[in-house]
Amino acid sequence: MRFRCKRFWGNDTGSSTIEFVVLMFVILATIFFVLESTLYLFFSAAIHKSAQAGARAAVVSTPLAAGVPATNAKTPAGIFGVACTDVSAPCVSFPPVSCTGTACDATQFNRIFAHMQGFSGQLAPDNVTITYEWTGLGFAGGPTVPLVTVTVSDVPFQTGVVGLLLTNAGVLATLPTHSVSMTGEDLNTGGAP
């Protein structure tokens, strides 16, 4: 019995196969990790690029949310044509106004959304929020120059092994939220030139 045990432990005929299996598992795990990370970064970058494209389109469009004034209202002490940044504060600010997806002006939103989908086909209208904020730029009585922010959020990540496993497990894997802001200097508000 002792001789058989010694012979069994001394037998190395299958060692190459065992080494191959162990190393192959490590190599495949590394390859899948790199592929999964690459897919995640690619789709995250696509979402960011779609937010950039949406912001660029939104700053040259008519405001999609109701409540964005066409012109900078002047204060009672304000003088027309004085910069809103002047120390006399000649302009009246407005609160941030935003809309999401179908709550926005349909015609303008569909045009901007179609442009955004050219960069990321995973987007749905409810993933896009457009916000207009007072910046203090412009002149009293002149066109409004708000800060336009396009936010893309809650976009599902369903690609790759991990994304599919999480989705099948009932966990919704989402890509990170991306926001891009630009001043709406060319905003088509219909106000005075």
Side-chain angles (χ1 to χ4, degrees):
M1 182 72 164
R2 190 181 213 192
F3 177 70
R4 284 186 178 176
C5 286
K6 195 173 196 181
R7 195 173 74 188
F8 175 76
W9 290 112
N11 186 355
D12 63 352
T13 57
S15 64
S16 298
T17 304
I18 292 172
E19 289 172 3
F20 173 77
V21 169
V22 170
L23 286 177
M24 196 56 162
F25 176 74
V26 172
I27 291 169
L28 286 175
T30 304
I31 289 171
F32 279 119
F33 175 76
V34 168
L35 287 174
E36 193 74 26
S37 299
T38 303
L39 286 171
Y40 185 82
L41 292 173
F42 173 78
F43 287 115
S44 182
I47 293 295
H48 185 73
K49 188 64 178 173
S50 70
Q52 285 179 334
R56 290 178 62 90
V59 297
V60 295
S61 302
T62 305
L64 285 82
V68 178
T71 59
N72 285 320
K74 70 177 195 64
T75 60
I79 301 171
F80 282 107
V82 175
C84 291
T85 56
D86 191 86
V87 292
S88 64
C91 301
V92 178
S93 65
F94 63 91
V97 181
S98 65
C99 64
T100 301
T102 55
C104 298
D105 175 80
T107 306
Q108 292 294 329
F109 180 78
N110 289 338
R111 183 180 59 79
I112 292 170
F113 183 71
H115 184 59
M116 292 173 70
Q117 275 194 315
F119 295 95
S120 177
Q122 295 175 308
L123 289 180
D126 290 336
N127 298 127
V128 180
T129 302
I130 301 175
T131 305
Y132 299 88
E133 294 181 63
W134 166 258
T135 59
L137 296 175
F139 300 93
T144 303
V145 184
L147 181 69
V148 181
T149 303
V150 174
T151 304
V152 179
S153 60
D154 299 327
V155 178
F157 178 63
Q158 298 173 338
T159 308
V161 176
V162 174
L164 292 174
L165 289 175
L166 289 174
T167 303
N168 289 339
V171 178
L172 180 63
T174 59
L175 293 167
T177 298
H178 290 278
S179 293
V180 176
S181 299
M182 301 178 89
T183 54
E185 296 180 55
D186 295 326
L187 199 64
N188 182 12
T189 58

